[in-house]
Amino acid sequence: KEGVEENIEFKDDDNLIIKGNNLIGLSSLLKRYEGKVKLIYIDPPYFFQDLKEYDAFKYNSNFKLSTWLVFLKNRLEIAKKLLAYDGSIWVHVGEEGMHYLKIIMDDIFGAKKFIGTIPRKTREGKNDVPFNFSQDFDFILVYTKGDKSDAILNRKITRNYIETPDFPGRPWRRGDIKQQKNYLERPNSDFDMINPKTGKIYPVDKNAVWRVTKDTFEDWYSKGYVGFPDDYDFMTGEQPFRRSFKDEDEKKEKGASVFSDFLLKEFVQQIMGKGKTSNKDLVSELDFNYAKPESLMKSIIEVSTSEKDIVLDFFLGSGTTAAVAHKMKRKYIGIEQMNYIEDVTLTRLNKVIEGEEGGISKVVNWQGGGSFVYCELLENSKELIDEIQNATD
């Protein structure tokens, strides 16, 4: 085919798509990728208490609970080895299986490595439901190998900076210099602040004193961390402010905290028509009724990775994770064993390379380009497959 090379040499910075059993596929990745994957996202078959008449995810979703848990446990144990210390793993799950799976993941990753349960709203309320209660969420269990003090997730904040003649070459922003403590709780911050340049007095608020103390004011001011509105003709307000410099913001190790409801914003985008799978993401609704939209993966990739980090999805399905990672300049590995990988997944990724304008393309200004390597696992050894599936170490 045009644009396709055969007998190529695989390089460490290549993107990789594998067709084959994902348990064997994961094992085959260990030698090259152990401890290197920054984000693992999977949307495996859900567990349902009642058997379904349809195959919602193009996998067999009609598991017995014990079978479903062992099925995931075997794969998650290998996934943990691939995960980087400061990486995170996100497992999409329905409410019927979530609490059982959490116990398994607590055992594999450690209960103290549990980051949180993130709700994702899937629909508005529905009538004619069990117990007359409409469950409108599915969930994502998030774990890491890092510690609680590590900034495993980061939220980027768009800030407006200004540059003034008194701080040339150092853009800065204005912040609140008051704290939610009163004069009894912080007596050292109970003082009237005086602008050294103009002599103007700014009385303290007894119920919300300054963040700076009387003893540290001179040090803060000498470093530019305290500003006054009467120093600038363009500025309004009657309170001193905390000045933060852009260069110091960029040096901070931790980004802003990620709030647990951040995926609800993605849902709002969907119902406003910005993330609907069938219209925007080049995936046939007939083939993948429950494929996750690109906007969902964009939200997750934004808070968990940086450019060139490795993203892994070993239930690749229609290829949403790989498509979004490609557009967001992340490296990716995808594993899928179903035959539709050739007609659906690979076709979609080739369109991404050609510069398709669906999904998040306009938001990230996607223009096309890049490549991926596609391979198929050799699975002609029944003995090897049985040995791996029955392995205890």
Side-chain angles (χ1 to χ4, degrees):
K1 295 180 181 179
E2 184 178 351
V4 175
E5 298 180 44
E6 295 183 1
N7 301 319
I8 63 172
E9 178 185 356
F10 182 74
K11 301 176 182 177
D12 286 340
D13 59 350
D14 282 328
N15 299 309
L16 179 61
I17 301 296
I18 301 172
K19 179 183 179 183
N21 182 292
N22 58 10
L23 184 62
I24 301 172
L26 287 169
S27 301
S28 72
L29 295 173
L30 283 173
K31 184 176 181 180
R32 184 184 292 262
Y33 292 104
E34 185 168 1
K36 295 181 180 180
V37 178
K38 190 65 178 291
L39 167 65
I40 300 175
Y41 169 86
I42 57 172
D43 183 20
Y46 287 9
F47 168 71
F48 297 107
Q49 296 284 357
D50 299 319
L51 296 182
K52 301 292 182 181
E53 296 179 359
Y54 57 89
D55 186 1
F57 293 88
K58 297 298 175 184
Y59 290 98
N60 178 13
S61 295
N62 291 329
F63 284 92
K64 290 184 177 180
L65 178 59
S66 59
T67 307
W68 182 73
L69 290 172
V70 172
F71 170 77
L72 289 178
K73 179 177 183 288
N74 291 340
R75 287 150 178 80
L76 291 171
E77 286 175 336
I78 303 174
K80 179 186 177 182
K81 296 179 181 180
L82 292 166
L83 191 64
Y85 173 81
D86 59 347
S88 58
I89 179 168
W90 303 56
V91 181
H92 222 123
V93 62
E95 76 278 6
E96 292 178 65
M98 177 179 66
H99 300 93
Y100 300 108
L101 182 59
K102 186 181 186 303
I103 294 173
I104 296 296
M105 295 191 72
D106 279 350
D107 183 58
I108 295 172
F109 291 90
K112 292 184 178 180
K113 305 298 184 180
F114 172 60
I115 294 177
T117 304
I118 299 175
R120 173 182 176 261
K121 193 162 187 181
T122 58
R123 67 184 184 194
E124 292 295 358
K126 184 180 180 182
N127 295 317
D128 190 25
V129 288
F131 306 107
N132 207 29
F133 177 75
S134 183
Q135 172 56 269
D136 307 320
F137 290 83
D138 57 14
F139 304 90
I140 306 176
L141 297 175
V142 188
Y143 284 77
T144 185
K145 288 163 70 173
D147 295 322
K148 290 184 177 180
S149 59
D150 299 324
I152 302 299
L153 307 181
N154 289 279
R155 176 171 55 94
K156 293 183 179 180
I157 297 178
T158 302
R159 296 187 173 110
N160 294 320
Y161 293 90
I162 59 175
E163 188 168 348
T164 52
D166 48 349
F167 294 98
R170 296 195 72 194
W172 54 271
R173 60 184 174 86
R174 181 176 175 178
D176 193 358
I177 203 169
K178 295 169 67 174
Q179 61 177 319
Q180 298 302 313
K181 303 286 185 180
N182 61 39
Y183 72 102
L184 295 175
E185 296 172 291
R186 293 290 186 268
N188 291 338
S189 296
D190 178 21
F191 68 98
D192 292 340
M193 203 176 286
I194 301 174
N195 185 345
K197 290 183 181 178
T198 65
K200 183 174 179 178
I201 300 174
Y202 291 87
V204 67
D205 181 344
K206 296 287 188 179
N207 293 314
V209 296
W210 314 119
R211 295 181 184 274
V212 62
T213 66
K214 190 172 184 177
D215 295 336
T216 58
F217 171 79
E218 290 295 337
D219 181 57
W220 276 45
Y221 182 77
S222 67
K223 294 177 180 177
Y225 297 155
V226 180
F228 297 91
D230 58 314
D231 286 339
Y232 305 100
D233 295 335
F234 63 86
M235 191 170 290
T236 59
E238 295 298 326
Q239 292 291 335
F241 55 87
R242 168 76 161 93
R243 183 185 283 110
S244 297
F245 294 99
K246 183 178 181 181
D247 56 356
E248 294 182 356
D249 282 344
E250 293 175 345
K251 288 180 181 178
K252 290 180 180 177
E253 293 184 358
K254 291 186 177 182
S257 296
V258 177
F259 302 143
S260 61
D261 66 347
F262 78 103
L263 290 188
L264 295 181
K265 299 170 186 175
E266 179 267 336
F267 171 74
V268 172
Q269 288 183 331
Q270 288 185 66
I271 63 176
M272 295 299 291
K274 296 181 181 178
K276 288 188 179 295
T277 301
S278 59
N279 295 334
K280 299 289 184 179
D281 290 358
L282 299 181
V283 179
S284 168
E285 195 172 38
L286 181 62
D287 291 335
F288 283 87
N289 303 51
Y290 295 91
K292 301 302 185 287
E294 289 194 8
S295 55
L296 168 71
M297 284 312 307
K298 176 178 178 292
S299 297
I300 293 173
I301 288 175
E302 277 180 336
V303 301
S304 59
T305 67
S306 301
E307 288 188 7
K308 297 183 179 180
D309 282 340
I310 301 175
V311 177
L312 166 65
D313 184 345
F314 52 92
F315 289 93
L316 187 59
S318 64
T320 300
T321 302
V324 175
H326 195 113
K327 294 177 185 179
M328 296 181 70
K329 300 178 181 179
R330 273 67 170 174
K331 292 188 289 185
Y332 56 87
I333 305 168
I335 307 175
E336 179 53 61
Q337 67 181 17
M338 306 301 284
N339 289 329
Y340 59 68
I341 188 173
E342 298 176 17
D343 296 331
V344 177
T345 316
L346 299 185
T347 299
R348 180 180 188 177
L349 291 175
N350 281 322
K351 289 182 178 178
V352 169
I353 291 172
E354 293 167 4
E356 57 90 357
E357 298 181 356
I360 66 165
S361 293
K362 292 183 180 179
V363 176
V364 300
N365 192 30
W366 176 244
Q367 302 294 318
S371 64
F372 64 90
V373 174
Y374 172 70
C375 63
E376 297 183 7
L377 287 178
L378 185 64
E379 294 185 8
N380 60 353
S381 174
K382 182 68 166 60
E383 292 77 17
L384 176 61
I385 293 173
D386 290 341
E387 183 180 345
I388 292 175
Q389 291 181 330
N390 295 325
T392 59
D393 56 28

